[in-house]
Amino acid sequence: MPDIEIKNMVKLFTVLLLSEKGQHGYEIMKEVEKRTGKKVSPGQMYPFLKQLKMYRYVETKGRAERDKQAYYLTPEGRKFVARLSEKFGDMFEIAIKPRLTVCAHCNCEIYKGGYKERINGKLLSFCCENCAKGYRTLNTQ
Ligand SMILES: [Zn+2]
């Protein structure tokens, strides 16, 4: 049986989150949404979890209804994650890090707060007002 292919970010994040801790399908969905910034539907999540289970990469604990079950990586599942990590290399590292916003002007990382301004119809994030001003000067007439 060929190994599961990870072809999108939703699947990648799902296995990453499971490698952090066991959790419910619903929790995984919410967390994947948070990290990818995209809406994830149960139709994307549950068939994949089912597939992982079929390969014995995860096991479930809890009651039979899908929303009540928590998913845990098995030792086989951990090996699968290790194979993925080799395959994806740096991409993998980047994916696990929480997303940081970067100042549109000076490229520094904005940890919290920052300054937002709409320039040329686009809402941009800056670390401070001065950067917004600098960007505006360079990018508008
Ligand atoms: Zn800046």
Side-chain angles (χ1 to χ4, degrees), residues 63-79:
R63 289 201 277 147
E65 304 102 287
R66 68 180 192 185
D67 294 340
K68 302 275 189 297
Q69 291 187 326
Y71 296 81
Y72 294 84
L73 274 191
T74 62
E76 274 311 305
R78 299 218 167 266
K79 284 182 204 159

Side-chain angles (χ1 to χ4, degrees), residues 59-125:
E59 55 186 2
T60 49
K61 288 175 191 167
R63 289 201 277 147
E65 304 102 287
R66 68 180 192 185
D67 294 340
K68 302 275 189 297
Q69 291 187 326
Y71 296 81
Y72 294 84
L73 274 191
T74 62
E76 274 311 305
R78 299 218 167 266
K79 284 182 204 159
F80 174 59
V81 175
R83 287 199 294 280
L84 284 179
S85 146
E86 265 172 44
K87 188 171 152 191
F88 286 100
D90 289 347
M91 252 271 297
F92 209 70
E93 281 289 307
I94 295 163
I96 10 188
K97 280 193 190 162
R99 275 153 49 105
L100 282 174
T101 314
V102 173
C103 175
H105 186 61
C106 72
N107 264 332
C108 72
E109 290 171 343
I110 305 166
Y111 289 91
K112 57 179 174 186
Y115 176 81
K116 284 192 182 0
E117 190 174 316
R118 189 170 290 276
I119 295 172
N120 291 337
K122 264 171 75 182
L123 188 64
L124 300 167
S125 298

Side-chain angles (χ1 to χ4, degrees), residues 41-57:
S41 71
Q44 287 174 282
M45 185 53 61
Y46 288 102
F48 180 56
L49 288 173
K50 205 171 153 188
Q51 190 187 21
L52 287 170
K53 198 179 175 184
M54 210 178 74
Y55 275 75
R56 300 185 200 289
Y57 290 162

